[in-house]
């Protein structure tokens, strides 16, 4: 693709979300690097002095706990991971507080679980809390609540937490700081080169992931690519860069050619649509026919019961569901107007027959277009205006 004006894309960002990986902040043995936290605080304070609002999603609690407990390796069982997080989180936030105090700034610790993002009321309450912290001039420092989260309600990787927080706070820019310079590709001669700009997180781009994970963290380039896909489809640019490089955050926001820039969709999505499309976890699936899919994708219509071929899973009215064709990947997410039991009774029937089958008809549509987000594909962009 042609030359990209990075300054025009990221330079005007007023609301910046920065995710910091474990390895950026710790040594190979798990000891927290206070100087690196301090350097990060220097950069964030400089951005705040320019009138920008910055939210930090910081890994490192478990890694800090590993170092504090003098463990030989990262634990593998959930209770030990939670214990390490309990020990390390206090140390991590104290280090941030000391670093920002030098600039006359306060930090606010916020620990979240996946449930906090998926439940709409808790999602909104979290947003109100974060906005209040920013209003007080604080820098929110967010981490997953590893001390209490169990597998069913945890993200397991702060890249995804950062992606969902970007939707929550309507961020203008997301910066994922890691220990590599960005996304690399290998040419025909076996030489690796940095990919400066990614126009779309396609399956080909996802294939560039080397499958590696970090020693002290749980992520890798794969999780960053999937997070970038989510964020950019909502219309927000993402930069993956090396957090160990001097002044990397300031250089990214200044529009310098640092790291890999993932371009956003042409049209930004409203907060509620972001939540439906990317944050609310589908509780079930609706298999639709080709005619219904075309009506949804090409003409922006609502889903009617007549277009439903099968109902999978158990869910209630108002829950998020995935829409797909038989043997296909989900092409949309939406909020259902009827429970799975009721949809199973009315699937394939005409709207005029709903009341006869159920004894009531609160809605003509199974999923209304206002509660629907349609995708181009599993790794594609969100369609404009949906």
């Amino acid at each position: 693709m042609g030359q990209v004006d990075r300054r025009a894309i990221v330079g005007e960002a007023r609301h910046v979300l920065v995710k910091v990986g474990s390895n950026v902040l710790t040594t190979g043995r798990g000891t927290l690097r206070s100087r690196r936290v301090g350097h990060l605080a220097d950069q964030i304070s400089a951005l705040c002095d320019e009138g920008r609002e910055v939210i930090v999603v910081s890994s490192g609690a478990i890694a800090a706990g590993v170092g504090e407990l003098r463990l030989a390796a990262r634990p593998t069982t959930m209770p030990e991971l939670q214990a390490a997080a309990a020990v390390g989180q206090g140390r991590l936030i104290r280090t941030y507080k000391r670093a920002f105090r030098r600039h006359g700034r306060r930090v606010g610790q916020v620990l979240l679980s996946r449930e906090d993002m998926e439940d709409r009321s808790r999602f909104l309450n979290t947003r109100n809390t974060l906005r209040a912290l920013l209003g007080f001039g604080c820098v929110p420092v967010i981490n997953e609540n590893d001390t209490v989260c169990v597998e069913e309600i945890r993200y397991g990787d702060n890249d995804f937490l950062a992606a969902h927080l970007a939707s929550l706070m309507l961020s203008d820019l997301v910066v994922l700081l890691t220990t590599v310079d960005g996304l690399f590709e290998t040419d025909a001669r076996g030489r690796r080169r940095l990919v400066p700009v990614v126009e779309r997180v396609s399956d080909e781009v996802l294939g560039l992931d080397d499958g590696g994970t970090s020693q002290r963290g749980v992520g890798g380039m794969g999780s960053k690519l999937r997070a970038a896909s989510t964020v950019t489809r909502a219309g927000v640019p993402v930069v993956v860069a090396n957090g160990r490089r001097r002044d990397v955050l300031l250089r990214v926001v200044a529009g310098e050619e640092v790291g890999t820039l993932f371009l956003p969709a042409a049209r930004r999505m409203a907060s509620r649509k972001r939540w439906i499309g990317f944050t609310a976890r589908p509780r079930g699936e609706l298999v639709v026919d080709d005619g219904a899919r075309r009506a949804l994708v090409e003409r922006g219509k609502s889903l009617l019961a007549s277009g439903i071929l099968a109902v999978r899973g158990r869910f209630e009215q108002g829950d998020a569901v995935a829409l797909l064709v038989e043997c296909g990947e989900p092409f949309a997410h939406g909020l259902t107007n009827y429970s799975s039991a009721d949809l199973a009774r009315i699937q394939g029937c005409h709207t005029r027959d709903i009341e006869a089958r159920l004894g009531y008809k609160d809605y003509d549509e199974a999923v209304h277009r206002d509660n629907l987000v349609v995708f181009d594909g599993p790794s594609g962009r969100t369609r404009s205006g949906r």
Side-chain angles (χ1 to χ4, degrees), residues 18 20 25 34-49 54 56 95-105 107 139 141 177 247 249-250:
V18 181
V20 192
L25 301 179
S34 299
R35 291 184 62 183
R36 192 160 287 153
V37 175
H39 185 47
L40 181 65
D42 295 342
Q43 297 176 75
I44 292 172
S45 293
L47 293 179
C48 292
D49 290 341
V54 182
V56 180
T95 305
Y96 272 108
K97 284 184 176 180
R98 285 196 298 267
F100 278 100
R101 191 179 298 131
R102 298 201 313 267
H103 300 277
R105 298 191 179 277
V107 303
V139 178
V141 177
L177 296 181
D247 293 332
L249 186 56
L250 296 178

Side-chain angles (χ1 to χ4, degrees), residues 39-292:
H39 185 47
L40 181 65
D42 295 342
Q43 297 176 75
I44 292 172
S45 293
L47 293 179
C48 292
D49 290 341
E50 295 175 358
R52 306 178 198 265
E53 292 181 341
V54 182
I55 292 176
V56 180
V57 177
S58 180
S59 301
I62 292 177
V66 169
E68 189 86 356
L69 294 170
R70 298 182 181 179
L71 302 178
R74 179 187 174 93
T76 56
T77 68
M78 184 63 70
E80 290 178 335
L81 286 167
Q82 291 171 329
V87 172
Q89 184 62 40
R91 183 181 179 190
L92 180 65
I93 198 64
R94 285 196 305 272
T95 305
Y96 272 108
K97 284 184 176 180
R98 285 196 298 267
F100 278 100
R101 191 179 298 131
R102 298 201 313 267
H103 300 277
R105 298 191 179 277
R106 296 180 177 87
V107 303
Q109 176 178 257
V110 181
L111 301 178
L112 298 173
S113 71
R114 189 162 187 163
E115 276 189 333
D116 297 316
M117 296 289 99
E118 293 179 350
D119 181 89
R120 182 65 178 169
S121 62
R122 291 165 69 172
F123 178 90
L124 296 175
N125 287 337
T126 300
R127 182 167 67 189
N128 292 338
T129 299
L130 293 175
R131 284 179 172 172
L133 284 170
L134 292 169
F136 286 131
C138 298
V139 178
V141 177
I142 302 170
N143 198 357
E144 184 164 17
N145 195 355
D146 290 312
T147 60
V148 298
C149 283
V150 294
E151 197 64 37
E152 290 79 7
I153 62 170
R154 68 192 300 261
Y155 282 100
D157 192 307
N158 274 343
D159 292 324
F160 298 107
L161 175 58
H164 290 168
L165 279 167
S167 296
L168 176 77
M169 298 305 294
L170 293 177
S171 301
D172 299 318
L173 172 66
V174 174
V175 183
L176 303 178
L177 296 181
T178 182
T179 54
V180 295
D181 291 333
L183 178 66
F184 284 82
E185 64 181 359
T186 304
D187 63 19
R189 297 183 179 180
R191 296 174 299 188
R192 297 177 76 242
R193 74 173 189 91
L194 179 70
V195 180
V197 177
V198 173
E199 185 174 4
R200 176 176 177 269
V201 185
S202 62
D203 292 335
E204 181 181 1
V205 171
L206 289 171
L208 296 177
D209 171 35
D210 62 8
T213 58
S214 62
Q215 180 182 4
R216 292 287 168 179
V218 294
M221 187 55 67
S223 70
K224 288 164 184 58
L225 291 175
R226 290 186 289 274
S229 175
T230 295
V231 175
T232 54
R233 291 193 303 188
V236 179
V238 176
V239 175
V240 176
N242 192 332
R244 293 179 175 177
R245 301 291 187 189
R246 185 164 185 82
D247 293 332
V248 63
L249 186 56
L250 296 178
R251 296 175 62 198
V252 165
V253 177
E256 293 186 27
E257 298 228 359
V258 179
T260 299
L261 169 64
F262 296 81
L263 298 180
R267 183 168 178 175
R268 294 194 67 179
M269 189 183 299
S271 175
R272 188 168 180 276
K273 286 293 184 97
R274 294 189 194 189
W275 180 79
I276 293 172
F278 307 117
T279 302
R281 182 160 37 178
R283 303 298 179 183
E285 296 179 340
L286 300 180
V287 181
V288 304
D289 60 34
D290 286 334

Side-chain angles (χ1 to χ4, degrees), residues 283 314-321 335-341:
R283 303 298 179 183
R314 297 178 62 182
F315 49 85
E316 300 299 325
Q317 178 186 356
D319 282 345
V321 293
L335 303 182
T336 176
N337 284 333
Y338 292 94
S339 68
S340 55

Side-chain angles (χ1 to χ4, degrees), residues 269 272-278 331-335 367-375 382-383 386:
M269 189 183 299
R272 188 168 180 276
K273 286 293 184 97
R274 294 189 194 189
W275 180 79
I276 293 172
F278 307 117
F331 65 85
H333 288 173
L335 303 182
V367 180
H368 194 277
R369 60 180 296 176
D370 291 343
N371 295 324
L372 188 70
V373 174
V374 178
F375 309 116
T382 309
R383 287 188 175 271
R386 301 282 166 77

